[in-house]
Amino acid sequence: MTRDLTWFTNQYDVLHARVKLKMIQYYLMEENTTEEIYQEHQKVAKSKEKKIMGGGRVVSEKMKLLLSLLVLQFCFAGFHIVSRLALNMGVSKVVYPVYRNIISLLLLGPISYFLEKKERPPLTFPLLVQFFFLALIGITANQGFYLLGLYYASPTFASAMQNSVPAITFAMAAILRLEEVNISRRDGLAKVLGTIVSVGGATVITLYKGTPLLHHSHHPLEISIEGEALENPSKNVQNWTLGCLYLLGHCLSWSGWMVFQAPIIKKYPAKLTLTSFTCFFGVIQFLVIAAFAETDLDRWKIQSGEELLTILYAGVVASGIVVALQTWCIHKGGPVFVAVFQPVQMVLVAVMACLILGDQLYAGGIIGSVLIIIGLYSVLWGKNEEKKVRKQVEEETLTKHLLDEESAIKQSEAVSDLP
C-alpha cells in the first residue's frame, strides 16, 4: 500500500511539474517577438536537415533496432537449420542439449556473477526448488520436445508452431487469473479470438498434412526416416502427426515457462543469474535422463568438425548472443514490437530448409501457419491496445486528481480573501 501511494505521489508530482512547465513556456512565447520565434524554428529545421543529410554517418536508433531484429531472426532461423543438421549427422537428442546448456552456463555464469553482484538477492531453499522446476519446464521439457518434434517434422513447421506461443501463454495466464480477460472490450475480444485462431492453426498443422507443394529430388542431407516414410505413406502421416504433437508439447512448455517465471522474477529480479541457475539444473536433469537413455559412451564423442560447429552454434549463438541481442531489442522496442517480427523467422527457415536440407512444403502446413500468424497478430494487437487503455485511464485519473486539487486551492484562496 505504501509503495502504491509513493508511486501515485511521484506520478502526480511529475504531471504537476509538466503543467507548470507548459504554462511557463506559454508565457515566454507570448513575450517573444515574431522574429525570435521565426529564428528558433529555423534553427530546429537546420538541425533536422543536418541530421538527415549526414552522409550516412549517423544511423537512427530505429534503423539499429530494425537491423538488430533481422539479425536476431537470422540467428533463430539458423538454430532450426543447425539443429536439424546435427540430428542428420547422428548427434544424440540427449547429448546435444547437454553440451548446449553447458556452453550456455559457461557463458552466462561469469557474466551474471559480475553484472548482478549488487542487485542479486540472497538464495533460499524454496527459491532453489522453484529454479529446479522452472528448469524442468523451460529447459528439459522445452528443448526435449523441440528436438523430438524437429526429428519427426521439419524446421519450417517447428518455426511455424512457435508463433502460437504468445496465444498459448495468454490462455495459460488467463486460466491462472494472471491475465485480464474482458471480451466486452475490443482488446479483450482480439486476444481471445487470436488465441482460438492460433490453436486452430496448430491443430490444422498436426492433423492435416495435405499435398506437397514443391517438386524436387531428395536432398542427401535428409534423414533416413523420410526415405522410409515415402515407401510407407501411413508411416509418413504417423511420423508427421507425432512430430507436430511433440512441437505442441514444446510450445506448451515454453509458454508455461514464461507464465511461471513471472512471479519468480518478482522475488528474484536478477534475470541473468536466474537463467544461469535454470541452465545448471537443466544440465543435471538431462544428465539424469542420459544415464538411462544414452549409455553408449561413443555417442558422447564429437566425431567431426561439423558436429562441433553445430554444438558451438547452439551454445554460443542460440543460448548466448541471442539472449543478449533479444534483451537489448526488448529494452529498445518493447516485447510486442519484437514479437511482431517473429513470422520473419518462419519465412527465413522455409527458404533455408528448402535450399540446404531439401525440405518439402505441404498445403496443410501452409494453411495452419497462416492461421497461426493471424492469431499471433490479433493477440499482439490486443495486448498493445490494452496497454494504451491502461495508460489513458492512469492519465485521466492523475489529471482529475490534479484538477480537484487546484479547485480546492482556489476555493481556499477565495475563502481566505473574504473579510
Side-chain angles (χ1 to χ4, degrees), residues 25-207:
Q25 289 175 343
Y26 174 78
Y27 287 119
L28 286 175
M29 289 294 291
E30 285 291 314
E31 294 175 1
N32 283 343
T33 62
T34 307
E35 183 63 27
E36 289 173 341
I37 295 173
Y38 174 77
Q39 289 178 0
E40 188 67 26
H41 279 290
Q42 285 292 100
K43 287 180 181 178
V44 174
K46 286 181 180 179
S47 64
K48 286 183 178 180
E49 185 179 357
K50 186 177 180 181
K51 185 176 181 180
I52 294 172
M53 303 297 291
R57 290 174 294 181
V58 179
V59 181
S60 67
E61 285 295 319
K62 191 171 184 180
M63 184 59 66
K64 288 180 182 178
L65 179 59
L66 291 174
L67 290 174
S68 299
L69 284 169
L70 289 176
V71 172
L72 181 65
Q73 298 309 322
F74 265 109
C75 291
F76 274 128
F79 174 68
H80 289 291
I81 303 301
V82 165
S83 297
R84 181 60 178 265
L85 285 173
L87 295 176
N88 291 353
M89 295 173 191
V91 178
S92 169
K93 290 182 282 294
V94 178
V95 174
Y96 184 72
V98 169
Y99 286 150
R100 173 192 174 181
N101 287 291
I102 288 176
I103 295 172
S104 176
L105 181 60
L106 292 175
L107 287 174
L108 293 176
I111 295 173
S112 63
Y113 177 79
F114 290 106
L115 289 182
E116 298 178 338
K117 196 171 185 179
K118 295 181 179 179
E119 61 185 76
R120 186 166 47 241
L123 276 175
T124 60
F125 182 74
L127 276 175
L128 289 174
V129 173
Q130 292 177 48
F131 293 167
F132 179 85
F133 284 105
L134 200 62
L136 186 63
I137 300 171
I139 300 291
T140 308
N142 181 17
Q143 296 180 11
F145 279 132
Y146 169 75
L147 289 173
L148 288 169
L150 189 66
Y151 181 75
Y152 287 108
S154 71
T156 303
F157 298 117
S159 176
M161 292 283 278
Q162 287 180 350
N163 288 313
S164 64
V165 169
I168 296 173
T169 304
F170 164 72
M172 283 186 176
I175 292 171
L176 297 173
R177 297 190 176 182
L178 299 174
E179 182 82 20
E180 180 185 356
V181 182
N182 187 355
I183 58 174
S184 61
R185 293 204 316 247
R186 290 187 307 168
D187 57 300
L189 186 61
K191 290 189 291 184
V192 172
L193 291 178
T195 301
I196 294 172
V197 172
S198 288
V199 174
T203 305
V204 170
I205 291 178
T206 303
L207 299 180

Side-chain angles (χ1 to χ4, degrees), residues 206-224:
T206 303
L207 299 180
Y208 174 66
K209 188 173 184 179
T211 57
L213 302 178
L214 301 177
H215 300 282
H216 52 67
S217 59
H218 294 290
H219 198 278
L221 286 173
E222 286 183 280
I223 54 177
S224 60

